[in-house]
Amino acid sequence: MEFNHKSVLLDEVIEYLQIRPEGIYVDGTLGGAGHSFEIVKRLDKTGRLIGLDQDGDAIDAAAKRLDAYKDRVAIIRSNYCHIKEVLSGIGIEKADGILLDLGVSSFQLDTPERGFTYREENAPLDMRMDNRQKRTAEDIVNEYSETELFHMIRDYGEDRFAKNIAKHIVTARNRKRIKTAGELTAIIRGAIPQKVQATGGHPAKRTFQAIRIELNQELAVLEDTLDDMIDLLNDKGRLCVITFHSLEDRIVKTHFKKNENPCTCPKDFPICVCGKKPKGKCITRKPVLPSEEEQADNSRAKSAKLRVFEKIGKED
């Protein structure tokens, strides 16, 4: 299957990155290289693009897409949480721009054997963004305790029926191991009132999101890496992050705010004595949203939000 993914907020990302022909740019979630292709087109032969992705299919697709520019591109299979080590390993200390386009790609959702979708009954419960990883979604569904399932679905899926869903999962797996998306979806349907299902969207969406986030440690990776990415920027360099749900957006917003105003002194102190200095500023006071045209053209863009942080310059 061809790696197909419409790059969300593409024009906005290119505008905010303020790409310089000789600059160094990192795409931490390379995917099918939609954003990267537009970045590298704007570089001259002294510029550099480094693309990271943990998905082997994405790596193969991106290499083909960027082949014409391979003299200025480095593609590395790695989770973006290793960005410091990756850049150091290829002799790069700082970057002029870094991009994260979080969440699941259209290819991953539309390829049933990857197990991300709840719309294919016979799809396996996989959901690994890196298939070198041993643990799968099936392991979580069948091995987590009822309490662990409840907390996961409540916290990462934000589902008000999390307790009942967890209970139904445990009851069902005591009879037979749960192996497919269809089996899990049927269990979830049985745990949510019919009147809610009639108006609340697909009943399995939140639980599948929660399992995927837990399996791939998506929020923990984001939380642990944003500060490093800001530190890796050159003066006036920019970090662009596209999120797709409130949990991700909240983390990005919080970290950008903390790096813009790190002072921990009490508000009634006349001057700062903690010594913590701003690293830059958030240049998107409100998240940038896709246009109505983009949302109409790509339904998966509807929940996207872009936030941008700029590293402090020497003259600032």
Side-chain angles (χ1 to χ4, degrees):
M1 184 175 178
E2 184 182 354
F3 199 107
N4 181 35
H5 179 69
K6 289 185 177 180
S7 298
V8 174
L9 291 161
L10 178 59
D11 293 339
E12 291 83 353
V13 164
I14 297 303
E15 177 185 349
Y16 276 105
L17 277 176
Q18 295 186 330
I19 298 164
R20 295 187 294 107
E22 74 284 4
I24 297 173
Y25 297 88
V26 182
D27 187 341
T29 48
L30 184 60
H35 289 106
S36 281
F37 185 73
E38 293 300 322
I39 293 171
V40 76
K41 281 185 354 186
R42 291 162 171 78
L43 301 180
D44 62 26
K45 291 191 176 182
T46 65
R48 197 89 185 272
L49 171 73
I50 299 91
L52 281 64
D53 206 295
Q54 58 187 327
D55 188 318
D57 291 329
I59 292 293
D60 293 341
K64 293 177 182 177
R65 183 85 184 271
L66 300 173
D67 184 64
Y69 300 96
K70 59 186 177 184
D71 60 328
R72 64 204 75 173
V73 172
I75 298 175
I76 299 163
R77 187 174 182 183
S78 176
N79 189 306
Y80 68 79
C81 68
H82 303 302
I83 185 170
K84 286 177 69 174
E85 298 94 321
V86 167
L87 294 186
S88 177
I90 57 176
I92 293 175
E93 294 183 3
K94 299 282 186 179
D96 297 295
I98 300 174
L99 167 66
L100 291 181
D101 178 7
L102 303 174
V104 188
S105 72
S106 298
F107 172 84
Q108 290 168 330
L109 285 170
D110 294 338
T111 307
E113 56 265 33
R114 295 299 300 270
F116 286 97
T117 180
Y118 43 78
R119 300 189 184 279
E120 295 283 344
E121 285 197 5
N122 295 320
L125 290 172
D126 192 322
M127 302 193 201
R128 291 173 297 171
M129 290 186 171
D130 185 342
N131 58 17
R132 297 172 297 184
Q133 176 181 324
K134 290 184 178 180
R135 190 172 68 161
T136 68
E138 181 183 329
D139 297 323
I140 288 176
V141 169
N142 288 282
E143 295 170 13
Y144 272 31
S145 69
E146 184 174 333
T147 300
E148 289 172 326
L149 288 171
F150 161 60
H151 286 299
M152 177 187 71
I153 298 167
R154 182 196 64 183
D155 296 344
Y156 295 161
E158 299 181 296
D159 196 313
R160 61 192 170 115
F161 299 103
K163 194 172 187 66
N164 208 31
I165 293 170
K167 181 180 178 180
H168 277 64
I169 288 173
V170 171
T171 299
R173 78 188 190 193
N174 285 339
R175 294 192 296 266
K176 181 174 74 77
R177 187 173 177 87
I178 304 165
K179 293 186 175 182
T180 68
E183 290 170 347
L184 180 56
T185 297
I187 293 164
I188 296 167
R189 286 189 184 278
I192 298 176
Q194 286 294 328
K195 62 180 180 180
V196 175
Q197 295 186 43
T199 58
H202 198 289
K205 181 178 181 179
R206 293 177 180 273
T207 297
F208 271 63
Q209 173 183 292
I211 296 169
R212 191 200 80 221
I213 289 173
E214 171 69 15
L215 176 67
N216 297 288
Q217 290 294 290
E218 295 172 39
L219 299 184
V221 167
L222 181 64
E223 182 96 48
D224 293 343
T225 313
L226 285 171
D227 289 349
D228 285 345
M229 288 186 167
I230 290 172
D231 290 341
L232 286 168
L233 291 172
N234 279 319
D235 292 345
K236 295 292 186 180
R238 290 184 169 185
L239 170 59
C240 297
V241 185
I242 301 172
T243 63
F244 288 88
H245 55 75
S246 60
L247 300 172
E248 293 172 337
D249 183 59
R250 196 176 305 140
I251 290 172
V252 176
K253 180 180 179 181
T254 299
H255 275 262
F256 282 7
K257 185 176 180 180
K258 181 189 73 175
N259 279 279
E260 182 175 44
N261 183 20
C263 178
T264 56
C265 297
K267 291 183 179 180
D268 58 351
F269 273 32
I271 59 170
C272 173
V273 296
C274 72
K276 295 181 178 179
K277 303 295 183 184
K279 293 182 180 179
K281 60 184 178 181
C282 183
I283 60 173
T284 49
R285 290 301 166 191
K286 292 184 178 180
V288 179
L289 306 179
S291 66
E292 291 183 4
E293 292 79 7
E294 181 174 7
Q295 292 184 48
D297 183 55
N298 180 10
S299 62
R300 288 172 180 162
K302 290 181 179 179
S303 58
K305 294 180 179 179
L306 168 66
R307 293 186 187 270
V308 184
F309 188 91
E310 183 179 273
K311 188 74 171 288
I312 201 163
K314 291 177 181 177
E315 68 274 16
D316 292 334

